[in-house]
Amino acid sequence: MKRGILVTADGEVFQGRSVGADGGRVGEAVFNTSMTGYQEVLSDPSYAGQVVVMTSPHIGNYGVTAHDDQAGSPAARGLIVRSMSRRHSNWRAEGSLASYLVAHDIVALADLDTRRLTRHLRDRGAMPVAVGIGMDEMELAGMAAAAPLMEGQDLATGVSTPVAYRVDPPGTPVGRVVALDLGMKRDIGRRLAALGLEVHVLPAGSGAHRMLDLDPDGVFLSNGPGDPDALPGQIAAVRGVLGRVPLFGICLGHQILGLALGANTFKLPFGHHGGNHPVRRLDDGRVEITAQNHGFAVDLWSLAGRDAPIRSGLAGPELLPEKVDGDFGEVRPTHQNLNDGTLEGLRCLDVPAFSVQYHPEAAPGPHDSLNLFADFMEMMGLAS
């Protein structure tokens, strides 16, 4: 049994047992509250540059299968769990989580006090950590202290597709969508194609002309990792598309749309990571349970020229403006996170565009927000 150590940038030390690859890694530690979906989490390109701490105590019991991978290879720097299942049992399983971690060179620790680590990150905020197998504690402490912060990092370009490709629907296409790959999960392409759309996936650096040259019925902005402010080219590309074709953005795509409208973004203390985040729909008050992974949020108050109100008590709609004026007309908030009151969705009233901060494609679930794809089809005039 190999022992491993995790050291945070502020000097906290955690001991564990190696259940993955050998070596040392650095990354921003974030805690994920999902009870299942660990393979989708590890292979989600949005986790580039991060070490994932699972708060659910028992991980790995149903194994892994290639169909659940959301990219060609995992982007996460490391995995931390309390207890790794010794056996896996599921009719879909093609191997164990431990073998998956070794095959993809992911450093992982089990038997670590994830409750203490999660409380530390919740109280101090997401921060760089160093994880090492057979490495000296002082060496890991130096690595963690020297690791770059997430602010200012363009991680989307590194996980985007290097070449354009197409995802075809099962039958005759009813429309064409351009998807800007900022770290797009595979199930998003599958979900769009299942609606009858011919999906043209373009690299993150593609400009507005390249997107519009494909004569799309709509443009989709994907999820992805890193700081949205570090993507001026993508912001300019979205500004070149707005008002010309319908646009739908999620996660990093939501943040890019917000910046293109003239709003600011800001770093959340420890982000939203997990498959159980409650989001209120502001139009009817209904609550959806959503899958999320992001460390930044859009500040619509920056378009109103004032600071956000100070929260007192439960998160309510008063923490968001009713409507603001952006660079492309009026913008209305549509969704709100019920844990901290931050913006989770917006809609442009003068150009056809809307976005949400979370992942509606249900990979992993829940399925509460699949209706957003139908809303996109309706905006494009393709609803049956």
Side-chain angles (χ1 to χ4, degrees):
M1 180 178 66
K2 297 180 180 178
R3 303 302 299 175
I5 303 174
L6 181 149
V7 183
T8 65
D10 60 356
E12 288 291 309
V13 179
F14 298 80
Q15 304 283 340
R17 172 177 61 90
S18 174
V19 289
D22 292 339
R25 304 286 187 276
V26 295
E28 180 188 59
V30 296
F31 59 87
N32 185 295
T33 56
S34 297
M35 298 182 69
T36 62
Y38 47 79
Q39 185 180 351
E40 290 92 338
V41 167
L42 287 171
S43 58
D44 179 355
S46 299
Y47 281 99
Q50 293 180 321
V51 173
V52 182
V53 181
M54 301 299 293
T55 61
S56 184
H58 192 59
I59 298 296
N61 61 304
Y62 57 86
V64 296
T65 174
H67 182 79
D68 289 345
D69 275 331
Q70 295 301 307
S73 60
R77 296 271 177 86
L79 176 69
I80 308 298
V81 301
R82 178 66 185 91
S83 173
M84 176 76 80
S85 179
R86 296 180 181 179
R87 298 182 181 90
H88 63 275
S89 178
N90 187 276
W91 66 272
R92 298 174 68 244
E94 299 170 351
S96 68
L97 175 58
S99 63
Y100 180 89
L101 295 167
V102 172
H104 291 287
D105 198 33
I106 299 174
V107 171
L109 297 181
D111 299 344
L112 186 143
D113 189 347
T114 53
R115 178 176 293 183
R116 181 167 75 94
L117 178 53
T118 298
R119 288 170 64 92
H120 187 75
L121 297 175
R122 186 195 63 186
D123 295 342
R124 304 290 182 88
M127 67 181 69
V129 300
V131 186
I133 311 302
M135 298 180 66
D136 180 77
E137 182 180 313
M138 293 300 294
E139 180 183 3
L140 290 170
M143 291 168 59
L149 299 176
M150 191 60 69
E151 290 93 326
Q153 289 198 61
D154 169 11
L155 297 177
T157 302
V159 296
S160 177
T161 178
V163 295
Y165 65 94
R166 195 172 76 191
V167 182
D168 291 318
T172 303
V174 300
R176 178 184 300 131
V177 164
V178 165
L180 187 65
D181 181 3
L182 304 170
M184 191 169 93
K185 297 159 76 174
R186 283 178 175 169
D187 270 45
I188 292 172
R190 294 169 182 162
R191 184 69 62 183
L192 292 169
L195 293 170
L197 296 169
E198 179 183 285
V199 186
H200 292 257
V201 184
L202 299 183
S206 303
H209 287 300
R210 186 173 182 185
M211 288 188 270
L212 296 173
D213 283 347
L214 289 167
D215 192 25
D217 295 290
V219 168
F220 178 84
L221 306 177
S222 84
N223 61 293
D227 185 347
D229 263 322
L231 301 172
Q234 286 76 7
I235 298 168
V238 171
R239 291 179 65 87
V241 168
L242 280 170
R244 305 182 70 174
V245 294
L247 185 145
F248 174 30
I250 70 168
C251 190
L252 182 59
H254 161 78
Q255 297 160 14
I256 295 297
L257 175 59
L259 290 167
L261 296 173
N264 295 332
T265 57
F266 62 95
K267 185 78 163 64
L268 292 164
F270 44 79
H272 303 150
H273 311 275
N276 46 15
H277 285 255
V279 169
R280 177 194 288 122
R281 297 189 334 203
L282 295 177
D283 59 348
D284 59 11
R286 293 187 62 180
V287 175
E288 297 178 350
I289 303 302
T290 67
Q292 305 204 8
N293 173 37
H294 58 97
F296 294 81
V298 176
D299 177 18
L300 280 188
W301 288 106
S302 61
L303 289 174
R306 53 165 290 191
D307 293 333
I310 297 175
R311 176 180 168 183
S312 176
L314 297 175
E318 70 280 356
L319 296 178
L320 298 174
E322 291 185 9
K323 207 184 314 185
V324 293
D325 290 320
D327 292 347
F328 290 82
E330 289 188 322
V331 182
R332 177 170 58 89
T334 57
H335 298 75
Q336 183 182 36
N337 189 292
L338 288 180
N339 288 330
D340 60 13
T342 54
L343 181 74
E344 289 279 357
L346 63 84
R347 180 177 290 269
C348 299
L349 303 185
D350 297 313
V351 294
F354 73 105
S355 61
V356 293
Q357 181 62 84
Y358 46 92
H359 295 202
E361 83 294 331
H367 295 76
D368 295 27
S369 304
L370 289 177
N371 61 291
L372 291 168
F373 291 100
D375 293 344
F376 187 35
M377 293 289 285
E378 183 177 356
M379 179 177 281
M380 292 186 290
L382 301 175
S384 57

